[in-house]
Every structure is written in structure tokens, then in C-alpha cells.
Amino acid sequence: MPQSAEKILDHAPLFREPEYRQMLAEKKLNFECPHPDQIVTDQRELTKTWEYREKNLAREALVINPAKACQPLGAVFAAAGFEKTMSFVHGSQGCVAYYRSHLSRHFKEPSSAVSSSMTEDAAVFGGLKNMVDGLANTYKLYDPKMIAVSTTCMAEVIGDDLRSFIENAKNEGSVPSDFDVPFAHTPAFVGSHVDGYDGMVKGVLEHFWKGSERSQAAGTINIIPGFDGFCVGNNRELKRLLDLMGVTYTVIQDASDQFDTPSDGEYRMYDGGTKIEDVKGALNAETTLSLQHYNTRKTLEYCNEVGQATASFHYPLGVQATDEFLMKVSAISGQEIPETIRMERGRLVDAMADSQSWLHGKKYAIYGDPDFVYAMARFVMETGGEPTHCLATNGTSAWEAEMKELLASSSFGQDAQIWAGKDLWAMRSLLFTEPVDLLIGNSYGKYLERDTGTPLIRLMFPIFDRHHHHRFPLMGYQGGLRVLTTILDKIFDKLDRETSETGVTDYSYDLTR
Amino acid sequence: MGLDYENDGALHAKLIEDVLSQYPDKAAKRRKKHLSVATSKDEAGGEDKGLSECGVKSNIKSIPGVMTIRGCAYAGSKGVVWGPVKDMVHISHGPVGCGQYSWSQRRNYYVGTTGIDTFVTMQFTSDFQEKDIVFGGDKKLEKIIDEIEDLFPLSGGISVQSECPIGLIGDDIEAVSRKKAKEHEKTIVPVRCEGFRGVSQSLGHHIANDAIRDWVFDKGDVAFESGPYDVNVVGDYNIGGDAWASRILLEEIGLRVVGNWSGDATLAEIERAPKAKLNLIHCYRSMNYICRHMEEKYGIAWMEYNFFGPTQIEASLRNIAKHFGPEIEEKTEKVIAKYRPLVDAVIAKYRPRLEGNTVMLYVGGLRPRHVITAYEDLAMVIVGTGYEFAHNDDYQRTGHYVKNGTLLYDDVTGYELEKFIEGIRPDLVGSGIKEKYPVQKMGIPFRQMHSWDYSGPYHGYDGFAIFARDMDLAINNPVWGLYRAPWKKMKDAPLRAVAAE
């Protein structure tokens, strides 16, 4: 009997006990009708070959292990960045359970959103009644300051029109007529979560800006962070830098407090977020900056339409990307970049110089959202690394072109390959046929790490199987330090593991590295 | 059985009244039917059915905008019933999200070479684009099946798990499946589990069961020599290894588990099911349909059992043994005796640390009743329980488990659950990932009771030890004592939820 009260075995050791091993072996042999071991081994080896890679990359219809989610997830995340805002997703209810779970598993935080719970009858007659009842219930029960409506694909397929539905609901008294109900259509079969983010932020801005007179406040800046699993650490770091510079700014869509509430006995359903008054005032900003270009294409277009100047970045992290961001802010605001920030920059460069020998020539595979992949590739090249595979399932041809330009700008990018629209099963073939030293991505990459032996560094949403990384910034010089240290830890841990066999590798297991 | 106690029914009735008063009238009227306090059979005039007044309404549409915790039919089919079948490729057919959010989230443990002959922790999706919605996705599905055959030749079969758009755009996935099954000589199962069907995960279970009946059973000769002690375990999804901790006991008492549905299962285990002598059903809610079918069509009896906690394990083992006669019964007593010292030691160690602690549960369709006795084995007290997607027959069965005065909530809303927890302030809440963090913020210990909070198994004797340990570590962790900053006076920092006031 393997289990005892003194030493309780968890699943991992429990099922390695002889009783269970034997039981599972017999189950397989007698009841599972498995393929012979040799056939399984042969097929496994085959998947490591160029031949399999060709077939795998030639797939036209099947998508396996994609690195993207659907639009409404982005919309729900976006809504969480505004003051006392409840997400209301119009359509089937299961979707909302999924978004909430997904966000909670990453942030280890509550995630609130409601559904209009449409079922078969609503599929036939439309979901107006669900909207009317739903808004009334949400308004009464959850006391929001604003309800942000998005859609599941069900509502999109049957063609429910949010503008008229919300108007109808207001007419029926579900919420007061002057209550703020911005909305965005977020079809899951178009784009990805980054587009849902874009749509919802644009929806909020349109709701508050439309019909208002704009009087430009010179030197003021709006900043839109984009869909970011590290918003908690990043937004706070960003605000710290801007405060140091003395810039007048508004972060539009700031979920850093919402997804990082304290434990003190009080459950805060709503916390932080961009104040509605500030969203209104943001119309007058001179410039709107996006930290993630591919998250804000439509939003920035709209900002242009109302008369603002715009510029976008690709998740500014590392040295040069942070330089560019700060210089842009400085140019718009007329505020100098203070000496304290220059010292921080110097410390990051100092750290990179200290560690450069361990990083030079390392090969990387990087996957994730388009802006993140761009940022990481750029930073890797700053450290003397080579971004061998750059993959974004939701990357567009425009992204591909921008990546090409970036990689061409450095000798460290000469051998890089860009994989727009490909998935992580494709990445598996790439890692087998053209191996790299390190893989940068999210928790889903752990299967690639297991199959191919490539060490995984988790730096992007979602991170389910490691805790609290998102509480620390990746952006800015401070964030660069964090990214640098994370990469180095992975390299040193691997080196120690590979040299830790006494009697075999007593050498190379160095105390000082 | 077991622990004797009564709950504060008056308080619970008051809590119900309070939450209902906060709804708009129409919603209050509807929600009222889903909330109740269990009353004893004497008061309710019932006979031998335990507490009869678990009489809440269930399996009814959720109210829009109230933050139901429920999922959808796709979650019930792909996420629960089909997803764990390990040697099949399950296509999430439609847009990318559903498959992405459910990818690897139910901890259906298995052994196999993932990506080669086993596919549970992979996400196969048809990643619908606008053109697929406009022109239909059948051609794409055909191509997907061909590509699966090409890249994963060792897969035992394919299932097509429909997402919402499929049923709305009029695709004929059945025709595609038929055609391609013939062409590739493989089992291909179309499942009409679009998320808008039904009111919760539950209809998805039913549809998935029907798909087994219609697309797997009687499709070919199953070469298998059956024996007198052959059983199927039905409705054990092997969360954290539950099915393994159960199988070891069933084998020890002399039974032969010829199929486990559907945790760690291969398609072969499902195909052969009609050859077994008895179906042992753990999750009644999600798989009773196929058991009833097998009873009608193949004359296979079925029996519910409960492997949570020693009281239920012993009762269930004896009950199962009775079905097979003296030889098995004798072995069963030996098995019970063999594990008794483990049980005693676990209880001796943890009961003093947990005794009298109150627990509120809110889970899916089985555990809100099934785990109650396991807590009571540790002298813990269940003050409230409720289901996401139970039916009337589940609430009837719940009557055998709950004590007088227990608060019952069906399809509870976020608002209600928070207010109930705040009003009762139990020592532990067992529910899901969406509930975990709000509850912990309130300073109340929590365990996820869908995923076993990344622990488990909780089934069987081996699982009970882990269960007891987990409840102890949740409740008796020092962090709960650190919530209040010492310089804050008590009155300034009341422990309460403020969000929905």
C-alpha cells in the first residue's frame, strides 16, 4: 500500500509507485488496444524530421495549439481597465465562464463579467429580450458605473445589433438613459483577442468622445497599453517613469489595480481603472500613444479622426525601444528625461555588459502576440542573441514586413525566420529541425519544452503554471532588467543541471559564472 | 449516516430573503425557486428519502446579466465527456476561443505519447474565419480530417465538437463525418454540442452520450472475451488520477475494469462497453443517459457508487460486491480491512485539526452531494451546497446527504454566493476557479473542487488521504491570520465584501 498518513503522496509520486505502475501497464496491455511500441516510437521519430515538417507547415485547414484567443477575451480584458466597469458579453453564456476562468488562471485574481445567457430561442428570435433583462439585472445587482458590452460569435452569426439593442433596453428602463453603455462587436471568427481589445477601447472612446468638442491641451498624452498579461507590473512601471518626467498623461485602459487587489478581508469587485472623467478629458490630449501597435489599429485611427496626433510602439522593452518611447514622450510633452532615468538606463546596460558573454550568440525561438514578439526579438538582438524563429499565430502580413525590417537592421537577425499565422505544432517541427537554445513564450510552450528539450522562458500571457511573474514589469529599463535576469537564470540553471553529476562532471560545475 | 448536526435554517432563510430583495422583481421571482433551506422529513412529511425538501427548481435557463457560473453544452461534451478519450483527436469546430480556453484545463490524467498516439492536452481547432461563416465550414472540415489522418496516423478516431456557429449556419457535419469515416476507415463522431443548446453543460453531456450511442456502439465487431466480473467505470474523468485510485480498489476486490469512461480511456474501451456485466456510475449527472441506454439495449445493469471518503467507499464497495456474490464479497471485506488502518491514521491525524469546521460547496452536477460524507468523515460540517447544472433527480439524491437547515442554491449567481458566504462566513469554501479568488480576498480558505486545486486524486482510499491533507492545509495555513494590518483598528477594517452594496 503506497499511501500513508505520515507521508501523504501526491499524484506525481503516488502513481509512480509499483502498484500503480503495474496496474497501468496491465490496463494498457489488456484493455486499451494500443499500437505496438515500435510503431509509436517510429511515428515519434518521424515527427522530428524535415519530411514531417514539410507536411506540417503545409497544413491549410487544421490549426493545432494556436497561440491566440478570440476577440471577446480582449474586450473583457479591456473593460477591466476602466473605473467600476462590468463586462457584459451578449451571446452564449459558456463563453463568459471561459473568459473569466482564463483571466483568473493567469492573474490569480477575481475576474468579473456577465453574460446575456442566450439559448436556442434567442438564436431564433434574437437576443433583444436577453439584453433588456440582462442590463437591468447587472445594473441593479453589481452597481457598476459603466457596462461595457461585447459579443460572442453566436450573437454575431445571428446578427444582433448592439447599438439598437442597447437603445431599446434604455427605452425600456433597464438602465437610466444617461447611463454609460459603450459597446463593441467582437466576432470570434475575425482576428484575435488583440482585435477585441482594440474594438472595445475604441468603443469606449467613441461613446465618450462622440459629439464632444475637442480643445487641444498642448503637450498632454494618452497612453493605451494594449492587451497585456503583465499589465500589473508594466502599467505601474510606466506611470512611475511618466511621473518622474513630470508628464501630463492619461493611461487609457489600466487594469493594473483590477488584477492586483490586496488581501485584507475585503473583496473588491472593482478596483482602479481609468476614471470615466479622465476618459472624457482624454479627448483633449495632443497625442495618443499606443504601446502595442497591433492592439490599437482601429483605436488610433479614431484618435486621428478626432484630431489627435498618434504614434505606436511594439511593447517597449529593452534599451533602444525604451529610449524611443521616452524620447517620443519627451518630444510631445516638452519634458526632459531626468537624470534618474538615465541612471536606470545605464544600470540596465551595465547588467547587459556584465552578462554579455553568456548571451552572445544564443539562439531563440519567440512566439506570442505580434508586438511582444517584435519586442523580444529586438531585445534579444541587443544582447547579442539571435532570434531564429519568430512566430505569431495572430501576426499579419504587415507584421511580417515590420519584422523583416527589424531583423534586417542587425547582423544578429540575419538568420531569423518569421512565421506569421503559424501555430505551436508548427513550432514543434521548427524546433526539431532547426533547434535553438531558448524558447520564449507562455505556459502553452511547456509541451514544446517537454517534446523538444528547449528550455522555456515564460514572458507572455497566459502564464498558468508559474505564479506572480505578471506582478513585475517587463517594459522600460527596469523591465529589461527583469527579462534579462529571467533569461540568464534559465541559462545558468540549465548549465548547472548539465554539469551536476559527481564523478562525471565535477569540472564545469563552477561556483562563479 | 455519520455525523449528527443541524444547520441554522432561520439564518439561511433570512439570507435568501435578503439577496432576493436586491433583484429587480422579475428576476427575484425567478431566482426564488432556485434557493431553499433543507427541512427534515418529519416537517415535510416525507418517508424514507432523507431530507425531502431539497425542492429547488433546477435545469432551467439562467437569467441574463446575473453572473451565472455555468458553462455551455460544448463544455459538457468536449470538456467533460469526449475530451478525455485519449487516443482520439477532438476537433473544436468553429472559432478559436472555445478550444483555447478549455485546452488542458480539466486535468484528465492519462498515460500516452502526446501528439503521437494520445492527444488530450492538445488543442485542435478549425479556427473559423469570416468566410467559413459565410460559405459554410463543411469543405474545411473535410480537409481538416484529411490533414489529421496525414499528420496523426495513429489516432484511434476523431470527434467533431460543434461550437455555436455550426448549428446556426446549417453545416452538415454528420454527412462529412460519414463520408470521411468511410474513406479513412476510422470512427468519426459528429457532436451537436453547440454552446447555445440547453441551459448549461448538462445538455452537452446528454448530447455527447447520444453520440456514443449513435456513432460508436454497434459499428463493428469487437473482439473481446468477456468474463464474469467485467465492469465499466462510467463517469470518472480521472481528474488528478481519480479513476486510477478507484480502479486499484475495484481490481483488488476481484473485478475486471474493462473500460473507464472517459478518463484515460481509449476508444476501444468505449466500443467494448456493451460486453460488460455491470456499469458502475460515479458521475450520474453526466453519464446516466448512456447507462440507461445500455440497460435497455444490452441488458446491462447499472449502479451508482461514491468513492469519496471511507464511509462512502466502504458502503459502495459492499454494494458493488453484493451484485457479484460471496466470493467478491469476501474479498471486499478483506480490502476494507486492509485499508482500515490507513483510514484510521488519516482521521486520527486530521480530524482534530478540522473538527467542527464549516464548509460551503458549489460545484457541478455530482460533487455537491458526493463529497459531503468525506468532509463529515473528518467531522466537518456542510452548511450549504448547490449545483451548477443538476436536475431534479440530483436534488432528490441530495436529500440523503444534507442535514436539516442546510442552505441550497441552484445555479447560484455571483452576487448570491458572495452574500451567502459573507453571511455565513464558513471556514472553507469548495467551488471553482472563478469563485476562488473573491472568496480568498474575504479571508476565507478555499479549495477548487472541480480541478482538486491542482492536487488529487480525491477518489478511493489513497485519494482520501490527499483530500484530508488538502483541507487541512487550506484551513490551517498561517496566511489567513495576516490579513489585517496590526495598526488598523478592528472597526476600521471589518471583514466583509463591499463590491455589490
Side-chain angles (χ1 to χ4, degrees), chain A residues 19 67 78 80 101 114 123 134 154 158 162-163 185 201 217 257 278 284 295 299 333 384 401 420 428 479 508:
Chain A
E19 290 93 332
S101 302
V114 299
M154 179 215 186
I158 65 173
L162 291 182
R163 186 183 300 279
H185 284 276
V201 173
D257 288 344
D278 293 346
N284 300 326
N295 287 244
T299 303
S333 64
R428 186 177 184 271
S508 304

PDB file of all heavy atoms in Angstrom, chain A residues 19 67 78 80 101 114 123 134 154 158 162-163 185 201 217 257 278 284 295 299 333 384 401 420 428 479 508:
ATOM      1  N   GLU A  19       2.658  -0.505  -7.360  1.00  0.00           N
ATOM      2  CA  GLU A  19       1.279  -0.993  -7.523  1.00  0.00           C
ATOM      3  C   GLU A  19       0.584  -0.322  -8.698  1.00  0.00           C
ATOM      4  O   GLU A  19      -0.101  -0.951  -9.497  1.00  0.00           O
ATOM      5  CB  GLU A  19       0.451  -0.706  -6.265  1.00  0.00           C
ATOM      6  CG  GLU A  19       0.814  -1.516  -5.057  1.00  0.00           C
ATOM      7  CD  GLU A  19       1.821  -0.800  -4.170  1.00  0.00           C
ATOM      8  OE1 GLU A  19       2.611   0.012  -4.702  1.00  0.00           O
ATOM      9  OE2 GLU A  19       1.828  -1.066  -2.952  1.00  0.00           O
ATOM     10  N   ALA A  67      -1.415  30.014 -30.810  1.00  0.00           N
ATOM     11  CA  ALA A  67      -1.062  30.968 -29.759  1.00  0.00           C
ATOM     12  C   ALA A  67      -1.893  32.227 -29.940  1.00  0.00           C
ATOM     13  O   ALA A  67      -1.385  33.298 -30.251  1.00  0.00           O
ATOM     14  CB  ALA A  67       0.430  31.287 -29.819  1.00  0.00           C
ATOM     15  N   ALA A  78     -10.122  44.488 -21.783  1.00  0.00           N
ATOM     16  CA  ALA A  78     -10.122  45.939 -21.989  1.00  0.00           C
ATOM     17  C   ALA A  78     -11.074  46.619 -21.008  1.00  0.00           C
ATOM     18  O   ALA A  78     -10.719  47.608 -20.361  1.00  0.00           O
ATOM     19  CB  ALA A  78     -10.512  46.273 -23.430  1.00  0.00           C
ATOM     20  N   ALA A  80     -11.986  45.714 -18.172  1.00  0.00           N
ATOM     21  CA  ALA A  80     -11.488  45.651 -16.797  1.00  0.00           C
ATOM     22  C   ALA A  80     -10.541  46.814 -16.484  1.00  0.00           C
ATOM     23  O   ALA A  80     -10.204  47.036 -15.329  1.00  0.00           O
ATOM     24  CB  ALA A  80     -10.770  44.327 -16.552  1.00  0.00           C
ATOM     25  N   SER A 101     -12.512  32.394 -16.379  1.00  0.00           N
ATOM     26  CA  SER A 101     -11.573  31.373 -15.907  1.00  0.00           C
ATOM     27  C   SER A 101     -10.171  31.637 -16.435  1.00  0.00           C
ATOM     28  O   SER A 101      -9.178  31.556 -15.709  1.00  0.00           O
ATOM     29  CB  SER A 101     -12.017  29.984 -16.370  1.00  0.00           C
ATOM     30  OG  SER A 101     -13.303  29.686 -15.902  1.00  0.00           O
ATOM     31  N   VAL A 114     -20.464  39.407 -16.982  1.00  0.00           N
ATOM     32  CA  VAL A 114     -21.768  38.746 -17.056  1.00  0.00           C
ATOM     33  C   VAL A 114     -22.099  38.427 -18.503  1.00  0.00           C
ATOM     34  O   VAL A 114     -21.499  38.966 -19.437  1.00  0.00           O
ATOM     35  CB  VAL A 114     -22.897  39.609 -16.448  1.00  0.00           C
ATOM     36  CG1 VAL A 114     -22.638  39.898 -14.985  1.00  0.00           C
ATOM     37  CG2 VAL A 114     -23.062  40.903 -17.239  1.00  0.00           C
ATOM     38  N   ALA A 123     -31.579  32.247 -30.332  1.00  0.00           N
ATOM     39  CA  ALA A 123     -30.955  32.031 -31.638  1.00  0.00           C
ATOM     40  C   ALA A 123     -31.989  32.212 -32.747  1.00  0.00           C
ATOM     41  O   ALA A 123     -31.673  32.636 -33.852  1.00  0.00           O
ATOM     42  CB  ALA A 123     -30.345  30.638 -31.707  1.00  0.00           C
ATOM     43  N   GLY A 134     -31.054  41.567 -19.098  1.00  0.00           N
ATOM     44  CA  GLY A 134     -29.682  41.424 -18.603  1.00  0.00           C
ATOM     45  C   GLY A 134     -29.116  42.729 -18.099  1.00  0.00           C
ATOM     46  O   GLY A 134     -28.522  42.788 -17.016  1.00  0.00           O
ATOM     47  N   MET A 154     -21.997  33.666 -31.341  1.00  0.00           N
ATOM     48  CA  MET A 154     -23.404  33.321 -31.569  1.00  0.00           C
ATOM     49  C   MET A 154     -24.213  34.570 -31.936  1.00  0.00           C
ATOM     50  O   MET A 154     -24.941  34.600 -32.932  1.00  0.00           O
ATOM     51  CB  MET A 154     -23.984  32.691 -30.308  1.00  0.00           C
ATOM     52  CG  MET A 154     -25.437  32.339 -30.463  1.00  0.00           C
ATOM     53  SD  MET A 154     -26.307  32.569 -28.919  1.00  0.00           S
ATOM     54  CE  MET A 154     -27.902  31.905 -29.358  1.00  0.00           C
ATOM     55  N   ILE A 158     -26.050  35.482 -35.725  1.00  0.00           N
ATOM     56  CA  ILE A 158     -27.470  35.778 -35.961  1.00  0.00           C
ATOM     57  C   ILE A 158     -27.687  37.264 -36.216  1.00  0.00           C
ATOM     58  O   ILE A 158     -28.790  37.680 -36.564  1.00  0.00           O
ATOM     59  CB  ILE A 158     -28.376  35.287 -34.809  1.00  0.00           C
ATOM     60  CG1 ILE A 158     -28.091  36.042 -33.504  1.00  0.00           C
ATOM     61  CG2 ILE A 158     -28.211  33.784 -34.589  1.00  0.00           C
ATOM     62  CD1 ILE A 158     -29.068  35.695 -32.402  1.00  0.00           C
ATOM     63  N   LEU A 162     -25.970  45.686 -31.587  1.00  0.00           N
ATOM     64  CA  LEU A 162     -25.813  46.200 -30.225  1.00  0.00           C
ATOM     65  C   LEU A 162     -26.341  47.619 -30.071  1.00  0.00           C
ATOM     66  O   LEU A 162     -26.997  47.940 -29.087  1.00  0.00           O
ATOM     67  CB  LEU A 162     -24.339  46.130 -29.801  1.00  0.00           C
ATOM     68  CG  LEU A 162     -23.759  44.728 -29.595  1.00  0.00           C
ATOM     69  CD1 LEU A 162     -22.310  44.822 -29.122  1.00  0.00           C
ATOM     70  CD2 LEU A 162     -24.578  43.914 -28.602  1.00  0.00           C
ATOM     71  N   ARG A 163     -26.056  48.465 -31.033  1.00  0.00           N
ATOM     72  CA  ARG A 163     -26.459  49.859 -30.888  1.00  0.00           C
ATOM     73  C   ARG A 163     -27.970  49.967 -30.651  1.00  0.00           C
ATOM     74  O   ARG A 163     -28.429  50.586 -29.695  1.00  0.00           O
ATOM     75  CB  ARG A 163     -26.067  50.672 -32.124  1.00  0.00           C
ATOM     76  CG  ARG A 163     -26.324  52.169 -31.963  1.00  0.00           C
ATOM     77  CD  ARG A 163     -25.997  52.928 -33.251  1.00  0.00           C
ATOM     78  NE  ARG A 163     -24.595  52.767 -33.642  1.00  0.00           N
ATOM     79  CZ  ARG A 163     -23.587  53.465 -33.115  1.00  0.00           C
ATOM     80  NH1 ARG A 163     -23.836  54.371 -32.185  1.00  0.00           N
ATOM     81  NH2 ARG A 163     -22.350  53.264 -33.506  1.00  0.00           N
ATOM     82  N   HIS A 185     -18.726  45.277 -31.219  1.00  0.00           N
ATOM     83  CA  HIS A 185     -18.973  43.959 -31.824  1.00  0.00           C
ATOM     84  C   HIS A 185     -17.632  43.235 -31.904  1.00  0.00           C
ATOM     85  O   HIS A 185     -16.664  43.768 -32.455  1.00  0.00           O
ATOM     86  CB  HIS A 185     -19.569  44.115 -33.221  1.00  0.00           C
ATOM     87  CG  HIS A 185     -21.019  44.504 -33.179  1.00  0.00           C
ATOM     88  ND1 HIS A 185     -22.017  43.572 -33.039  1.00  0.00           N
ATOM     89  CD2 HIS A 185     -21.639  45.715 -33.223  1.00  0.00           C
ATOM     90  CE1 HIS A 185     -23.202  44.186 -33.012  1.00  0.00           C
ATOM     91  NE2 HIS A 185     -22.995  45.500 -33.123  1.00  0.00           N
ATOM     92  N   VAL A 201     -11.768  49.234 -26.670  1.00  0.00           N
ATOM     93  CA  VAL A 201     -11.206  50.533 -26.292  1.00  0.00           C
ATOM     94  C   VAL A 201     -11.769  51.620 -27.218  1.00  0.00           C
ATOM     95  O   VAL A 201     -12.196  52.682 -26.778  1.00  0.00           O
ATOM     96  CB  VAL A 201      -9.662  50.517 -26.332  1.00  0.00           C
ATOM     97  CG1 VAL A 201      -9.100  51.915 -26.114  1.00  0.00           C
ATOM     98  CG2 VAL A 201      -9.124  49.568 -25.265  1.00  0.00           C
ATOM     99  N   ALA A 217      -5.185  70.264 -25.465  1.00  0.00           N
ATOM    100  CA  ALA A 217      -4.296  70.679 -24.380  1.00  0.00           C
ATOM    101  C   ALA A 217      -2.882  70.319 -24.781  1.00  0.00           C
ATOM    102  O   ALA A 217      -2.524  69.148 -24.803  1.00  0.00           O
ATOM    103  CB  ALA A 217      -4.675  69.980 -23.084  1.00  0.00           C
ATOM    104  N   ASP A 257      -4.676  47.704 -11.270  1.00  0.00           N
ATOM    105  CA  ASP A 257      -5.224  47.513  -9.919  1.00  0.00           C
ATOM    106  C   ASP A 257      -6.335  46.464  -9.912  1.00  0.00           C
ATOM    107  O   ASP A 257      -6.464  45.696  -8.966  1.00  0.00           O
ATOM    108  CB  ASP A 257      -5.758  48.841  -9.369  1.00  0.00           C
ATOM    109  CG  ASP A 257      -4.620  49.790  -9.009  1.00  0.00           C
ATOM    110  OD1 ASP A 257      -3.476  49.302  -8.901  1.00  0.00           O
ATOM    111  OD2 ASP A 257      -4.874  50.987  -8.850  1.00  0.00           O
ATOM    112  N   ASP A 278     -11.674  60.984 -16.674  1.00  0.00           N
ATOM    113  CA  ASP A 278     -10.386  61.060 -17.376  1.00  0.00           C
ATOM    114  C   ASP A 278     -10.516  60.608 -18.829  1.00  0.00           C
ATOM    115  O   ASP A 278      -9.827  61.122 -19.712  1.00  0.00           O
ATOM    116  CB  ASP A 278      -9.328  60.207 -16.654  1.00  0.00           C
ATOM    117  CG  ASP A 278      -8.993  60.776 -15.283  1.00  0.00           C
ATOM    118  OD1 ASP A 278      -9.376  61.936 -15.019  1.00  0.00           O
ATOM    119  OD2 ASP A 278      -8.376  60.054 -14.482  1.00  0.00           O
ATOM    120  N   ASN A 284      -9.032  65.737 -25.231  1.00  0.00           N
ATOM    121  CA  ASN A 284      -8.282  66.969 -25.460  1.00  0.00           C
ATOM    122  C   ASN A 284      -6.768  66.775 -25.561  1.00  0.00           C
ATOM    123  O   ASN A 284      -6.038  67.727 -25.807  1.00  0.00           O
ATOM    124  CB  ASN A 284      -8.580  67.969 -24.337  1.00  0.00           C
ATOM    125  CG  ASN A 284     -10.055  68.302 -24.286  1.00  0.00           C
ATOM    126  OD1 ASN A 284     -10.714  68.351 -25.327  1.00  0.00           O
ATOM    127  ND2 ASN A 284     -10.590  68.491 -23.096  1.00  0.00           N
ATOM    128  N   ASN A 295      -2.596  46.073 -31.321  1.00  0.00           N
ATOM    129  CA  ASN A 295      -3.749  46.044 -30.427  1.00  0.00           C
ATOM    130  C   ASN A 295      -4.647  47.265 -30.602  1.00  0.00           C
ATOM    131  O   ASN A 295      -5.668  47.372 -29.937  1.00  0.00           O
ATOM    132  CB  ASN A 295      -3.291  46.041 -28.967  1.00  0.00           C
ATOM    133  CG  ASN A 295      -2.695  44.719 -28.536  1.00  0.00           C
ATOM    134  OD1 ASN A 295      -3.226  44.055 -27.674  1.00  0.00           O
ATOM    135  ND2 ASN A 295      -1.590  44.325 -29.151  1.00  0.00           N
ATOM    136  N   THR A 299      -8.387  51.875 -32.990  1.00  0.00           N
ATOM    137  CA  THR A 299      -8.498  52.923 -31.975  1.00  0.00           C
ATOM    138  C   THR A 299      -7.680  54.150 -32.378  1.00  0.00           C
ATOM    139  O   THR A 299      -8.156  55.286 -32.288  1.00  0.00           O
ATOM    140  CB  THR A 299      -8.014  52.402 -30.608  1.00  0.00           C
ATOM    141  OG1 THR A 299      -8.786  51.243 -30.272  1.00  0.00           O
ATOM    142  CG2 THR A 299      -8.189  53.443 -29.529  1.00  0.00           C
ATOM    143  N   SER A 333       5.718  66.155 -24.842  1.00  0.00           N
ATOM    144  CA  SER A 333       5.374  66.859 -23.607  1.00  0.00           C
ATOM    145  C   SER A 333       6.272  68.064 -23.358  1.00  0.00           C
ATOM    146  O   SER A 333       5.948  68.933 -22.548  1.00  0.00           O
ATOM    147  CB  SER A 333       5.494  65.900 -22.418  1.00  0.00           C
ATOM    148  OG  SER A 333       6.843  65.477 -22.275  1.00  0.00           O
ATOM    149  N   GLY A 384      22.989  40.393 -28.116  1.00  0.00           N
ATOM    150  CA  GLY A 384      23.867  39.555 -28.927  1.00  0.00           C
ATOM    151  C   GLY A 384      23.279  38.192 -29.240  1.00  0.00           C
ATOM    152  O   GLY A 384      23.969  37.300 -29.724  1.00  0.00           O
ATOM    153  N   ALA A 401       6.157  42.079 -42.442  1.00  0.00           N
ATOM    154  CA  ALA A 401       7.004  43.068 -43.106  1.00  0.00           C
ATOM    155  C   ALA A 401       7.810  43.870 -42.085  1.00  0.00           C
ATOM    156  O   ALA A 401       9.006  44.113 -42.266  1.00  0.00           O
ATOM    157  CB  ALA A 401       6.142  44.002 -43.955  1.00  0.00           C
ATOM    158  N   ALA A 420       4.340  34.054 -39.629  1.00  0.00           N
ATOM    159  CA  ALA A 420       3.045  34.683 -39.359  1.00  0.00           C
ATOM    160  C   ALA A 420       1.942  33.654 -39.593  1.00  0.00           C
ATOM    161  O   ALA A 420       1.950  32.935 -40.580  1.00  0.00           O
ATOM    162  CB  ALA A 420       2.838  35.882 -40.274  1.00  0.00           C
ATOM    163  N   ARG A 428       6.804  23.154 -33.125  1.00  0.00           N
ATOM    164  CA  ARG A 428       7.423  21.885 -32.701  1.00  0.00           C
ATOM    165  C   ARG A 428       8.340  21.356 -33.810  1.00  0.00           C
ATOM    166  O   ARG A 428       9.487  20.980 -33.564  1.00  0.00           O
ATOM    167  CB  ARG A 428       6.321  20.874 -32.376  1.00  0.00           C
ATOM    168  CG  ARG A 428       6.813  19.559 -31.774  1.00  0.00           C
ATOM    169  CD  ARG A 428       5.600  18.696 -31.449  1.00  0.00           C
ATOM    170  NE  ARG A 428       5.917  17.450 -30.772  1.00  0.00           N
ATOM    171  CZ  ARG A 428       6.198  16.311 -31.400  1.00  0.00           C
ATOM    172  NH1 ARG A 428       6.253  16.267 -32.717  1.00  0.00           N
ATOM    173  NH2 ARG A 428       6.434  15.207 -30.699  1.00  0.00           N
ATOM    174  N   GLY A 479      12.067  46.862 -16.462  1.00  0.00           N
ATOM    175  CA  GLY A 479      11.536  45.626 -17.025  1.00  0.00           C
ATOM    176  C   GLY A 479      12.609  44.859 -17.776  1.00  0.00           C
ATOM    177  O   GLY A 479      12.681  43.637 -17.710  1.00  0.00           O
ATOM    178  N   SER A 508      33.458  22.005 -14.653  1.00  0.00           N
ATOM    179  CA  SER A 508      32.411  22.835 -15.297  1.00  0.00           C
ATOM    180  C   SER A 508      31.281  23.251 -14.362  1.00  0.00           C
ATOM    181  O   SER A 508      30.472  24.097 -14.696  1.00  0.00           O
ATOM    182  CB  SER A 508      31.777  22.144 -16.510  1.00  0.00           C
ATOM    183  OG  SER A 508      32.766  21.792 -17.435  1.00  0.00           O
TER     184      SER A 508
END
